[in-house]
Amino acid sequence: MDRKSSLTLPPCGHGSSEMTETMRRQQELLMQLRALVLPVLHGVHDTSADIAAQLLDDVIGCNISVASKLEECLVSTDDGPVPELVDDKSLVRKRNDGTTTTGDSRTTTEEQAKPATNSAGQKRRRNDKRSRYLLTHVPHYDGYQWRKYGQKNINGRQHPRNYYRCAYRERNCLATKTIEQQEQNNAGTSSAMAGVENAKYTVVYYGDHTCKDHNISMVQAPKPVNMDLQNGEMAKAAANVQEPEADLDLPALLEVFDNHLVDWDDDWKM
DNA sequence: CCGATTTGACCCGG
DNA sequence: CCGGGTCAAATCGG
């Protein structure tokens, strides 16, 4: 009927978890569909292919937005059984003065003036609600270009978490994201190769993209590097890693798998 | 040669 | 003090 003017969330009562689950399912399905379709479209020199990709992006973006709102609603109203909520880690990006006696070359910063205000965006706090999380097969290529700036091993986790920043940080784009592979217990799956292909990643997006245009239809994978196994703990991965690098195989698709479209607050227009 | 990634150090909040 | 996020020099790779 009459649409609510804006983000007036409907009362989420019972059955919300069901909806959330359905949304998640839909999300995964969309991701799979996109991962299958995009490589096919890649070779097609046609504008319709681009349009199709864009449409897919839009649909996924809407889906994500709705899912985020739904979960937010669940959290706020009642402590719904949110399976995994993104903990907004308090993160303050600040640089102390060069009090380090170690004489490390870190004092070469251009701005020593500690900004009490977020003038240059130096002080970034992740405690906002702006973070969105997503569970996806391949964390790259959501239509944005990211640059990795760090990787950390989280204490109890078996997979490291890696930190990405928008490639256009020289611009005003403060968007960041973290990617972490989820441990999946493939107890039922007897397939040995299930490890890599079914690997899922939790992607958390922070900040907002202020890039001029992120309408890059699709960027290609920078590197087929497996983010998780880097140091040498790739024992199990090595066992699982079949990765026939032959042409046109499913793993090839998986590498080019892309992600989803990130959508900010309530900008998704209908 | 230039840009992206790696990787250990630093730094901050809880 | 520790856990986790970011920096930046070194390195890799096209």
Side-chain angles (χ1 to χ4, degrees):
Chain A
M1 295 26 170
D2 52 344
R3 57 175 63 95
K4 294 307 173 68
S5 60
S6 282
L7 45 140
T8 306
L9 295 172
C12 316
H14 45 75
S16 299
S17 55
E18 256 183 77
M19 289 205 298
T20 303
E21 191 176 349
T22 307
M23 290 296 296
R24 191 179 303 274
R25 178 65 180 151
Q26 187 183 60
Q27 199 173 88
E28 291 185 4
L29 289 174
L30 278 172
M31 295 305 301
Q32 291 183 3
L33 177 64
R34 191 170 197 264
L36 280 176
V37 167
L38 276 189
V40 176
L41 292 181
H42 194 287
V44 178
H45 307 289
D46 190 8
T47 53
S48 54
D50 197 13
I51 292 176
Q54 198 62 43
L55 283 176
L56 213 44
D57 275 354
D58 290 343
V59 172
I60 293 175
C62 289
N63 180 28
I64 290 171
S65 178
V66 172
S68 290
K69 284 182 186 301
L70 190 58
E71 284 201 10
E72 195 173 326
C73 181
L74 274 178
V75 171
S76 61
T77 55
D78 198 335
D79 48 348
V82 178
E84 43 208 308
L85 72 122
V86 170
D87 50 331
D88 307 312
K89 293 126 187 105
S90 61
L91 171 147
V92 178
R93 187 274 173 270
K94 188 182 82 71
R95 161 80 42 94
N96 196 358
D97 297 358
T99 55
T100 57
T101 58
T102 56
D104 200 286
S105 55
R106 316 182 55 75
T107 61
T108 63
T109 51
E110 55 276 11
E111 75 281 17
Q112 275 99 8
K114 43 186 58 181
T117 61
N118 50 359
S119 59
Q122 294 304 321
K123 208 165 191 176
R124 212 56 203 161
R125 181 172 302 178
R126 280 199 178 174
N127 211 346
D128 294 338
K129 308 287 183 172
R130 300 170 177 271
S131 60
R132 285 143 183 65
Y133 84 96
L134 175 72
L135 202 62
T136 180
H137 288 90
V138 181
H140 298 272
Y141 311 119
D142 41 8
Y144 299 95
Q145 283 184 300
W146 304 91
R147 179 174 135 273
K148 184 173 178 177
Y149 69 88
Q151 170 177 335
K152 268 300 228 182
N153 212 350
I154 308 305
N155 78 358
R157 230 61 76 89
Q158 76 175 195
H159 301 295
R161 174 180 303 169
N162 25 71
Y163 303 86
Y164 290 85
R165 185 97 172 72
C166 181
Y168 302 102
R169 67 183 161 99
E170 305 309 330
R171 292 304 183 191
N172 299 322
C173 207
L174 302 174
T176 59
K177 72 172 178 180
T178 63
I179 298 176
E180 180 179 347
Q181 180 176 351
Q182 294 297 313
E183 171 197 359
Q184 67 158 2
N185 45 355
N186 41 5
T189 56
S190 57
S191 301
M193 60 170 61
V196 178
E197 299 176 4
N198 289 335
K200 289 185 180 164
Y201 303 87
T202 297
V203 186
V204 187
Y205 290 90
Y206 302 96
D208 38 355
H209 276 279
T210 44
C211 321
K212 40 185 72 172
D213 62 332
H214 40 271
N215 252 349
I216 329 165
S217 58
M218 55 190 97
V219 287
Q220 48 187 347
K223 196 188 293 185
V225 63
N226 294 329
M227 60 179 48
D228 237 10
L229 20 111
Q230 291 194 4
N231 270 343
E233 310 175 358
M234 51 179 66
K236 71 161 182 63
N240 289 339
V241 67
Q242 293 296 342
E243 284 189 338
E245 292 176 333
D247 29 338
L248 52 100
D249 248 337
L250 189 55
L253 292 187
L254 291 174
E255 284 183 351
V256 194
F257 244 27
D258 66 283
N259 201 347
H260 69 288
L261 180 68
V262 64
D263 195 300
W264 301 123
D265 293 310
D266 36 19
D267 270 12
W268 62 289
K269 41 193 77 76
M270 52 167 293

